[in-house]
Amino acid sequence: MARAKKVITIHVRDDREKEEFLKEIQRLNLPAFIYVHGKLNDLKINVQGTKDEIREAVRKIREIHTRVRAKLYPDRRGFYRYNVDDLFREAGASVSTPILLKTLEMLNETAELREGELVTSMPWEEIVGLVERLGEALGEISLQTTRQIREVVLPVSVALRIPPEEVIEQLVNLGLAEWKEDKFKYELIKNKEQALEELLKALEGEENED
C-alpha cells in the first residue's frame, strides 16, 4: 500500500503541558512513524505510514492531547478529568476506586467516577502524590487485612495522616474489627460505613481531649 505523510500542529500553553503530552506520545504503540519537532508553544508532528495508519495515529494523538489538557487544566466548574489507568500508572501504584473516592471525600475534595474517568477538584500532581501514599499504606497492611477493612483503614490513614497499623489497632480497641486466626487477617465486625463513622467519632473525641 502506498506510503504517505501528514504534518499536524499541536498548540500547548506551557512547558508542563508539552512535557506531559510528549510523555504520553512516547507510550503510543502505532504502526505509523511519528517525528515530533518542538518550537516554543507549537509541536509539529510528522506522521508517516499508509493512509489508514496516519488516520489512526492522528486520532490517537488528538485524543491524548485532549486527555492531557483535561488533567492539567480545570473546567469552568473547577474540575479536572483523569483517566484512572493513567493516574495509577503515573503514581506507580493502584488502589480500589472506592478507597480513592472515600479518601478524596475525607479531604473535602469533590470526586465522582464517570465511565472509567475520575472527575475531581484535586489537581494532577496532588492526586498522583495521594495515590502514591495510598499505595504505600496498602503495601504495609495488604497481607493482613481483608478488602473491606482496607476500605476503612486506608482513607483514614492517608487523609488524617495516621499510620495504617494504628488505625487497625483503633478499630480493634473499639470492637469494630478483630483478628481472624483461621484467615491470618483482620476483618471488620460491623459494616464499613458504620465502622468508619464510629472510628471517626472516636478519633474526633481524642482530638478534643488533646
Side-chain angles (χ1 to χ4, degrees):
M1 197 178 280
R3 308 290 285 176
K5 77 172 183 177
K6 180 173 181 153
V7 177
I8 61 171
T9 302
I10 298 288
H11 302 286
V12 293
R13 297 187 200 180
D14 51 31
D15 286 344
R16 181 165 163 255
E17 183 181 338
K18 187 188 292 184
E19 283 168 23
E20 283 292 333
F21 175 72
L22 290 174
K23 197 195 299 181
E24 291 294 333
I25 286 291
Q26 283 169 358
R27 291 186 177 129
L28 263 187
N29 187 16
L30 292 169
F33 172 77
I34 295 175
Y35 172 75
V36 182
H37 175 66
K39 186 179 177 184
L40 294 176
N41 291 339
D42 284 342
L43 293 171
K44 291 200 180 299
I45 304 174
N46 189 322
V47 187
Q48 298 177 22
T50 65
K51 284 187 178 179
D52 286 346
E53 287 169 352
I54 290 172
R55 193 180 301 113
E56 176 68 0
V58 169
R59 184 185 66 77
K60 287 199 171 177
I61 288 165
R62 296 204 187 282
E63 213 173 69
I64 282 173
H65 191 217
T66 301
R67 278 206 339 245
V68 166
R69 287 204 155 181
K71 78 182 182 185
L72 293 184
Y73 310 119
D75 62 21
R76 280 175 294 184
R77 296 180 304 151
F79 296 147
Y80 303 86
R81 297 195 317 277
Y82 307 130
N83 177 290
V84 175
D85 291 337
D86 287 351
L87 175 57
F88 291 161
R89 186 177 60 218
E90 184 69 23
S94 68
V95 291
S96 72
T97 47
I99 288 172
L100 179 55
L101 290 171
K102 180 53 74 176
T103 310
L104 287 163
E105 182 192 317
M106 288 185 66
L107 292 167
N108 296 318
E109 299 284 351
T110 303
E112 184 186 345
L113 201 63
R114 293 183 202 157
E115 297 171 8
E117 194 174 59
L118 179 64
V119 181
T120 179
S121 52
M122 182 174 276
W124 177 246
E125 285 83 1
E126 286 182 36
I127 201 165
V128 168
L130 180 71
V131 172
E132 285 171 356
R133 293 197 299 279
L134 283 168
E136 285 166 15
L138 174 61
E140 289 176 38
I141 63 164
S142 61
L143 295 178
Q144 71 212 52
T145 52
T146 60
R147 179 182 56 79
Q148 272 218 326
I149 195 171
R150 288 197 289 269
E151 289 183 11
V152 174
V153 173
L154 294 179
V156 171
S157 171
V158 171
L160 303 183
R161 297 188 178 272
I162 304 170
E165 293 89 346
E166 285 185 26
V167 181
I168 292 173
E169 194 179 315
Q170 186 78 287
L171 285 167
V172 172
N173 292 341
L174 291 167
L176 301 170
E178 64 183 7
W179 173 256
K180 291 287 188 182
E181 198 65 51
D182 56 332
K183 298 177 185 174
F184 298 104
K185 289 181 190 290
Y186 288 99
E187 67 176 38
L188 292 177
I189 295 170
K190 299 193 176 180
N191 69 55
K192 62 187 178 187
E193 289 80 13
Q194 196 178 352
L196 181 61
E197 187 183 338
E198 290 187 34
L199 173 63
L200 291 176
K201 268 186 195 167
L203 291 171
E204 196 179 317
E206 284 180 9
E207 264 185 33
N208 293 338
E209 283 173 21
D210 295 341

